[in-house]
mmCIF file of all heavy atoms in Angstrom:
data_model
loop_
_atom_site.group_PDB
_atom_site.id
_atom_site.type_symbol
_atom_site.label_atom_id
_atom_site.label_comp_id
_atom_site.label_asym_id
_atom_site.label_seq_id
_atom_site.Cartn_x
_atom_site.Cartn_y
_atom_site.Cartn_z
ATOM 1 N N LEU A 207 56.971 145.483 205.640
ATOM 2 C CA LEU A 207 57.520 146.294 204.686
ATOM 3 C C LEU A 207 57.373 145.880 203.244
ATOM 4 O O LEU A 207 57.164 146.774 202.441
ATOM 5 C CB LEU A 207 59.085 146.354 205.108
ATOM 6 C CG LEU A 207 59.359 146.955 206.472
ATOM 7 C CD1 LEU A 207 60.821 146.993 206.775
ATOM 8 C CD2 LEU A 207 58.829 148.329 206.541
ATOM 9 N N GLN A 208 57.353 144.538 203.040
ATOM 10 C CA GLN A 208 57.145 144.136 201.594
ATOM 11 C C GLN A 208 55.752 144.377 201.194
ATOM 12 O O GLN A 208 55.603 144.692 200.169
ATOM 13 C CB GLN A 208 57.393 142.580 201.626
ATOM 14 C CG GLN A 208 58.871 142.210 201.710
ATOM 15 C CD GLN A 208 59.210 140.699 201.757
ATOM 16 O OE1 GLN A 208 58.241 140.006 201.860
ATOM 17 N NE2 GLN A 208 60.332 140.361 201.730
ATOM 18 N N GLN A 209 54.855 144.306 202.223
ATOM 19 C CA GLN A 209 53.440 144.553 201.759
ATOM 20 C C GLN A 209 53.259 146.132 201.382
ATOM 21 O O GLN A 209 52.532 146.421 200.451
ATOM 22 C CB GLN A 209 52.415 144.246 202.782
ATOM 23 C CG GLN A 209 52.279 142.765 203.150
ATOM 24 C CD GLN A 209 51.263 142.432 204.313
ATOM 25 O OE1 GLN A 209 50.548 143.264 204.609
ATOM 26 N NE2 GLN A 209 51.494 141.299 204.791
ATOM 27 N N GLU A 210 54.048 146.811 201.907
ATOM 28 C CA GLU A 210 53.918 148.335 201.779
ATOM 29 C C GLU A 210 54.990 148.745 200.526
ATOM 30 O O GLU A 210 55.007 149.994 200.202
ATOM 31 C CB GLU A 210 54.201 149.114 202.987
ATOM 32 C CG GLU A 210 53.222 148.935 204.064
ATOM 33 C CD GLU A 210 53.378 149.730 205.333
ATOM 34 O OE1 GLU A 210 53.846 151.009 205.000
ATOM 35 O OE2 GLU A 210 53.101 149.407 206.407
ATOM 36 N N GLY A 211 55.752 147.723 200.105
ATOM 37 C CA GLY A 211 56.705 148.058 199.087
ATOM 38 C C GLY A 211 57.840 148.971 199.472
ATOM 39 O O GLY A 211 58.275 149.756 198.616
ATOM 40 N N MET A 212 58.192 148.932 200.765
ATOM 41 C CA MET A 212 59.190 149.952 201.274
ATOM 42 C C MET A 212 60.291 149.116 202.022
ATOM 43 O O MET A 212 60.144 149.035 203.223
ATOM 44 C CB MET A 212 58.588 150.885 202.279
ATOM 45 C CG MET A 212 57.630 151.817 201.629
ATOM 46 S SD MET A 212 58.322 153.039 200.461
ATOM 47 C CE MET A 212 56.925 153.856 199.868
ATOM 48 N N LEU A 213 61.302 148.703 201.215
ATOM 49 C CA LEU A 213 62.369 147.861 201.849
ATOM 50 C C LEU A 213 63.520 148.848 202.347
ATOM 51 O O LEU A 213 63.655 149.956 201.622
ATOM 52 C CB LEU A 213 62.911 146.769 200.974
ATOM 53 C CG LEU A 213 61.839 145.664 200.678
ATOM 54 C CD1 LEU A 213 62.423 144.706 199.665
ATOM 55 C CD2 LEU A 213 61.393 144.993 201.853
ATOM 56 N N PRO A 214 64.224 148.596 203.378
ATOM 57 C CA PRO A 214 65.218 149.432 203.798
ATOM 58 C C PRO A 214 66.363 149.523 202.683
ATOM 59 O O PRO A 214 66.584 148.651 201.983
ATOM 60 C CB PRO A 214 65.763 148.772 205.115
ATOM 61 C CG PRO A 214 65.305 147.389 205.005
ATOM 62 C CD PRO A 214 64.040 147.375 204.271
ATOM 63 N N SER A 215 67.009 150.650 202.758
ATOM 64 C CA SER A 215 68.094 150.823 201.801
ATOM 65 C C SER A 215 69.225 149.802 201.971
ATOM 66 O O SER A 215 69.877 149.348 200.930
ATOM 67 C CB SER A 215 68.711 152.257 201.850
ATOM 68 O OG SER A 215 69.396 152.391 203.108
ATOM 69 N N GLN A 216 69.484 149.473 203.162
ATOM 70 C CA GLN A 216 70.560 148.432 203.441
ATOM 71 C C GLN A 216 70.033 147.593 204.671
ATOM 72 O O GLN A 216 69.493 148.194 205.568
ATOM 73 C CB GLN A 216 71.915 149.013 203.673
ATOM 74 C CG GLN A 216 72.986 148.018 203.870
ATOM 75 C CD GLN A 216 74.291 148.706 204.008
ATOM 76 O OE1 GLN A 216 74.479 149.899 204.078
ATOM 77 N NE2 GLN A 216 75.436 147.888 204.144
ATOM 78 N N MET A 217 70.356 146.270 204.792
ATOM 79 C CA MET A 217 70.100 145.506 205.793
ATOM 80 C C MET A 217 71.371 144.763 206.352
ATOM 81 O O MET A 217 72.037 144.152 205.419
ATOM 82 C CB MET A 217 68.958 144.496 205.470
ATOM 83 C CG MET A 217 68.263 143.779 206.725
ATOM 84 S SD MET A 217 66.924 142.766 206.159
ATOM 85 C CE MET A 217 65.863 144.056 205.533
ATOM 86 N N ILE A 218 71.560 144.950 207.614
ATOM 87 C CA ILE A 218 72.645 144.183 208.233
ATOM 88 C C ILE A 218 72.148 143.106 209.144
ATOM 89 O O ILE A 218 71.313 143.364 210.013
ATOM 90 C CB ILE A 218 73.608 145.107 208.963
ATOM 91 C CG1 ILE A 218 74.234 146.184 207.937
ATOM 92 C CG2 ILE A 218 74.793 144.311 209.666
ATOM 93 C CD1 ILE A 218 75.100 147.252 208.664
ATOM 94 N N GLU A 219 72.695 141.933 209.201
ATOM 95 C CA GLU A 219 72.102 140.804 209.946
ATOM 96 C C GLU A 219 73.181 140.333 211.041
ATOM 97 O O GLU A 219 74.285 140.070 210.641
ATOM 98 C CB GLU A 219 71.633 139.657 209.018
ATOM 99 C CG GLU A 219 71.161 138.432 209.815
ATOM 100 C CD GLU A 219 70.841 137.406 208.809
ATOM 101 O OE1 GLU A 219 69.975 137.531 207.879
ATOM 102 O OE2 GLU A 219 71.316 136.196 208.960
ATOM 103 N N PHE A 220 72.796 140.160 212.297
ATOM 104 C CA PHE A 220 73.737 139.637 213.173
ATOM 105 C C PHE A 220 72.999 138.491 214.038
ATOM 106 O O PHE A 220 71.782 138.597 214.182
ATOM 107 C CB PHE A 220 74.176 140.595 214.248
ATOM 108 C CG PHE A 220 75.171 141.665 213.732
ATOM 109 C CD1 PHE A 220 74.777 142.819 213.372
ATOM 110 C CD2 PHE A 220 76.455 141.260 213.753
ATOM 111 C CE1 PHE A 220 75.622 143.816 212.914
ATOM 112 C CE2 PHE A 220 77.475 142.176 213.273
ATOM 113 C CZ PHE A 220 76.978 143.408 212.742
ATOM 114 N N VAL A 221 73.694 137.390 214.533
ATOM 115 C CA VAL A 221 73.152 136.442 215.328
ATOM 116 C C VAL A 221 72.936 136.979 216.710
ATOM 117 O O VAL A 221 71.965 136.660 217.441
ATOM 118 C CB VAL A 221 74.082 135.145 215.199
ATOM 119 C CG1 VAL A 221 73.460 134.096 216.315
ATOM 120 C CG2 VAL A 221 74.007 134.596 213.900
ATOM 121 N N SER A 222 73.869 137.786 217.162
ATOM 122 C CA SER A 222 73.958 138.186 218.515
ATOM 123 C C SER A 222 73.210 139.496 218.707
ATOM 124 O O SER A 222 73.447 140.499 218.102
ATOM 125 C CB SER A 222 75.393 138.371 218.891
ATOM 126 O OG SER A 222 75.544 139.187 220.099
ATOM 127 N N ILE A 223 72.368 139.567 219.724
ATOM 128 C CA ILE A 223 71.623 140.770 220.112
ATOM 129 C C ILE A 223 72.555 141.885 220.521
ATOM 130 O O ILE A 223 72.476 143.021 220.322
ATOM 131 C CB ILE A 223 70.508 140.495 221.109
ATOM 132 C CG1 ILE A 223 69.383 139.779 220.428
ATOM 133 C CG2 ILE A 223 70.038 141.793 221.741
ATOM 134 C CD1 ILE A 223 68.243 139.312 221.308
ATOM 135 N N GLU A 224 73.599 141.325 221.334
ATOM 136 C CA GLU A 224 74.572 142.355 221.819
ATOM 137 C C GLU A 224 75.348 143.003 220.717
ATOM 138 O O GLU A 224 75.593 144.294 220.764
ATOM 139 C CB GLU A 224 75.571 141.656 222.698
ATOM 140 C CG GLU A 224 76.481 142.558 223.508
ATOM 141 C CD GLU A 224 75.880 143.569 224.336
ATOM 142 O OE1 GLU A 224 74.833 143.189 224.952
ATOM 143 O OE2 GLU A 224 76.313 144.618 224.435
ATOM 144 N N ALA A 225 75.609 142.255 219.618
ATOM 145 C CA ALA A 225 76.410 142.829 218.510
ATOM 146 C C ALA A 225 75.457 143.936 217.762
ATOM 147 O O ALA A 225 75.968 144.890 217.373
ATOM 148 C CB ALA A 225 76.666 141.818 217.584
#
Side-chain angles (χ1 to χ4, degrees):
L207 294 178
Q208 286 175 356
Q209 288 178 22
E210 298 188 31
M212 297 289 181
L213 295 178
S215 61
Q216 185 177 3
M217 192 176 297
I218 301 175
E219 176 184 307
F220 285 101
V221 174
S222 165
I223 288 177
E224 187 59 35

